[in-house]
């Protein structure tokens, strides 16, 4: 059971209790839209949302080791309205299972997340492999409410559970020569229907500079909304890097490697002019094919579907900007 203090500004007891209420509120907003004659566009958007609402699957459930308290890390909490569990678990990018937003839920059923282990290797004093059960207990689990901004122009606000990646990294003692961290995720052609496609090079590989990986906001996450992660969101362990575009937040991690050279990431390999190594959220640097100035908050697609202004570093500027002092962010996109 989650323990929440009132200061978190968020009082839901169990996810299942809040979701119907939020759906209800959204429906009321939609009804008002119909009444005021704004129904056309709202109806079209609602159709997609309602289709996703049909896709509910059993929730993965709670775990004693996930009893989390609200984080005290600066920037790790927000008063913003949460994205519904329904939206966060049915509208996903996880290309190993397909490129449609609904594919990760639909096609991840055969993917096995137990047993699971994560190895940490490369330029470290202690190469180690952690069983997921041990990894869960390595740091104190916290709840953090992060915005996640996808490079495609939408965002969500999700209560994640986990601890700072730095907790894990300091256990393996990085060597002085380590400058980057590479993240390698699971690949299994028997249970992942899209890994024989050439849309990306598999396994999905991402990377951070060592200081970014050690930043307290960089989260190693095991759960969301008080429960263990569902497969479509990256079970059993993923990264969440809230000031970077969503694709930096690698799901279903199997290996973390400390390196001297900048890792060659899957997205940089597939389209280097569109996706850079840093990929910090930046409204002033457009993607070559679209603007990054605004975003659509998932769940706000009913009535009054107003786009939001995208914030520098996704709103985490005061926490992270100093890491990029003096860097030309147009060049290092
Ligand atoms: N292994 C893996 N991790 C991944 C992806 C992926 O395709 N494969 N997609 C990324 C992208 S583009 C985004 S926006 C986020 C989405 O996370 P969510 O579905 O939990 O919101 O996961 C990221 N992590
Ligand atoms: Mo994304």
């Amino acid at each position: 059971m989650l323990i929440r203090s009132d200061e978190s500004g968020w009082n839901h007891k169990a996810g299942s209790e809040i979701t119907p209420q939020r759906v209800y509120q959204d429906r009321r907003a939609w009804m008002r839209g119909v009444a005021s004659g704004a129904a056309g566009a709202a109806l079209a958007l609602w159709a997609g949302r309602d289709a996703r609402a049909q896709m509910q699957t059993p929730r993965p459930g709670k775990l004693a080791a996930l009893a989390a308290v609200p984080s005290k890390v600066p920037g790790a909490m927000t008063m913003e309205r949460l994205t519904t569990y329904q939206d966060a678990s049915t509208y996903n990018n996880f290309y190993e299972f397909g490129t449609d937003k609904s594919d990760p839920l639909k096609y991840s059923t055969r993917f096995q997340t137990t047993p699971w282990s994560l190895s940490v290797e490369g330029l470290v004093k202690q190469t180690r492999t952690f069983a997921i059960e041990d990894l869960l207990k390595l740091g104190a689990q916290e709840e953090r409410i992060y915005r996640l901004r996808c490079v495609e122009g939408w965002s969500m606000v999700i209560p994640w559970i986990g601890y700072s990646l730095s907790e894990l990294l300091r256990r393996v003692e990085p060597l002085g020569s380590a400058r980057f961290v590479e993240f390698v995720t699971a690949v299994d052609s028997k249970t992942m229907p899209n890994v024989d496609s050439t849309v990306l090079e598999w396994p999905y590989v991402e990377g951070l500079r060592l200081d970014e990986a050690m930043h307290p906001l960089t989260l190693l996450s095991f759960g969301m909304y008080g429960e263990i992660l569902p497969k479509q969101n990256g079970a059993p362990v993923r990264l969440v890097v809230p000031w970077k575009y969503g694709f930096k937040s690698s799901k279903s991690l199997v290996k973390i490697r400390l390196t001297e050279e900048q890792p060659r990431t899957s997205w940089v390999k597939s389209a280097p002019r569109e996706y850079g190594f840093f990929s910090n959220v930046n409204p002033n640097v457009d993607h070559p094919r679209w603007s990054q100035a605004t975003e659509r908050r998932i769940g706000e697609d009913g009535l009054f579907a107003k786009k939001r202004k995208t914030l520098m570093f996704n709103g985490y500027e005061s926490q992270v900007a100093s890491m990029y002092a003096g860097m030309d962010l147009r060049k290092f996109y």
Side-chain angles (χ1 to χ4, degrees), residues 92-96 150 160 185 204 233 238 246-247 249 251:
N92 302 103
N93 273 338
F94 201 160
Y95 276 19
E96 287 84 334
C150 180
W160 303 101
T185 77
Y204 190 100
N233 291 88
R238 68 172 293 172
F247 65 85
S249 295
K251 295 175 170 178

Side-chain angles (χ1 to χ4, degrees), residues 94 97 102-113 191-193 230-233:
F94 201 160
F97 299 106
S102 56
D103 285 344
L105 168 61
K106 273 197 259 176
Y107 300 121
S108 62
T109 47
R110 290 181 330 147
F111 177 53
Q112 293 301 313
T113 57
T191 58
M192 292 173 151
K231 292 178 186 179
Q232 62 272 26
N233 291 88

Side-chain angles (χ1 to χ4, degrees), residues 94-206:
F94 201 160
Y95 276 19
E96 287 84 334
F97 299 106
T99 52
D100 267 24
K101 301 297 177 237
S102 56
D103 285 344
L105 168 61
K106 273 197 259 176
Y107 300 121
S108 62
T109 47
R110 290 181 330 147
F111 177 53
Q112 293 301 313
T113 57
T114 45
W116 193 274
S117 60
L118 172 70
S119 65
V120 191
E121 51 195 74
L123 301 174
V124 295
K125 224 181 249 170
Q126 321 254 353
T127 296
R128 287 180 66 179
T129 298
F130 298 92
I132 189 72
E133 294 79 8
D134 301 327
L135 194 64
L136 265 166
K137 288 180 265 174
L138 205 65
Q141 299 281 346
E142 295 181 352
E143 182 162 75
R144 302 188 183 181
I145 301 178
Y146 280 171
R147 292 176 290 280
L148 193 63
R149 166 59 156 87
C150 180
V151 72
E152 296 163 2
W154 47 267
S155 60
M156 300 198 198
V157 180
I158 296 179
W160 303 101
I161 301 177
Y163 53 76
S164 295
L165 177 68
S166 63
E167 294 284 321
L168 170 61
L169 293 180
R170 66 180 177 78
R171 293 298 206 297
V172 298
E173 299 179 67
L175 300 178
S177 52
R179 292 183 53 228
F180 293 93
V181 185
E182 179 184 72
F183 302 92
V184 183
T185 77
V187 56
D188 176 21
S189 57
K190 288 198 199 70
T191 58
M192 292 173 151
N194 203 39
V195 293
D196 50 11
S197 82
T198 54
V199 56
L200 282 179
E201 206 174 280
W202 316 104
Y204 190 100
V205 171
E206 260 309 332

